[in-house]
Amino acid sequence: MIAIYPGSFDPVTLGHIDIIRRAAALYDTIHVSVLDNPSKKCSFTLEERVEMIKKVIKDLDNVVVTGFDGLLVDHAKSVKAGVIIRGVRNTKDFESEYQRAILNNRVKGGIETVFLPADPGHVAMSSTAVREICAFDGNIEFLVPKEIIDEVKNKLRKK
Ligand code: PNS
């Protein structure tokens, strides 16, 4: 089965990468789909977000990384995905992801969502934390894959 793992990935974290690797072991193909939404102001361009993920997961030959805009269900159908994957860190994530899953299951014929529980070591990780810590030159090595640390620091550090 083909699965889709959507997100903003601004930037990708070790938590996201763990979900991608685990999903890649469960499904035939994973489409990592990076949201291109001009109304959501991102720190990294769509191309930068896509390229950073590609750089980190280049050893996985069943993962495809692309951008998407519009409704997730439309994009999922265009790549023939049968399921959406979302990582869940805590009950707050669960509440919002549960609502999102219901919506995605009702619009345009719908698609199911499968939740993967975050690794216990990753529950405090978020792209927001990366951006905040990096802006003030804090250590992000425990949050971001080593392959992209320099790029992330160069972009986010306050000059
Ligand atoms: O990493 P994020 O920001 O939590 O990911 C959010 C994302 C990309 C999954 C969500 O914003 C999304 O699916 N956007 C596409 C618009 C859409 O389909 N909305 C209806 C269902 S909520």
Side-chain angles (χ1 to χ4, degrees), residues 6-9 35 40 68 70-73 86 97 100 103-104:
S8 303
F9 306 109
L35 181 66
K40 187 172 173 184
F68 83 101
L71 280 181
L72 178 57
V73 284
R86 291 289 284 172
E97 293 302 331
R100 213 193 283 281
L103 297 174
N104 282 324

Side-chain angles (χ1 to χ4, degrees), residues 19-28 30 60 62-63:
I19 298 290
I20 295 171
R21 290 189 180 282
R22 287 161 58 201
L26 292 172
Y27 294 95
D28 299 315
I30 304 294
L60 297 176
N62 65 335
V63 178

Side-chain angles (χ1 to χ4, degrees), residues 6-9 33-37 40 42 46 49 66-70:
S8 303
F9 306 109
S33 298
V34 183
L35 181 66
D36 180 17
N37 180 355
K40 187 172 173 184
C42 283
L46 175 66
R49 287 177 285 142
T66 53
F68 83 101
D69 58 10

Side-chain angles (χ1 to χ4, degrees), residues 5 9-20 22 56 86-90 92-93 97 116-133 139-146 148-149:
Y5 178 48
F9 306 109
D10 187 39
V12 71
T13 68
L14 287 169
H16 296 130
I17 297 296
D18 180 56
I19 298 290
I20 295 171
R22 287 161 58 201
V56 179
R86 291 289 284 172
V88 176
R89 291 165 296 189
N90 48 39
K92 189 162 167 271
D93 271 359
E97 293 302 331
L116 290 184
D119 180 280
H122 294 163
V123 291
M125 271 179 201
S126 66
S127 299
T128 307
V130 174
R131 294 193 302 271
E132 280 182 14
I133 293 170
N139 168 32
I140 55 162
E141 273 149 41
F142 64 106
L143 298 171
V144 168
K146 59 181 181 323
I148 62 166
I149 281 186

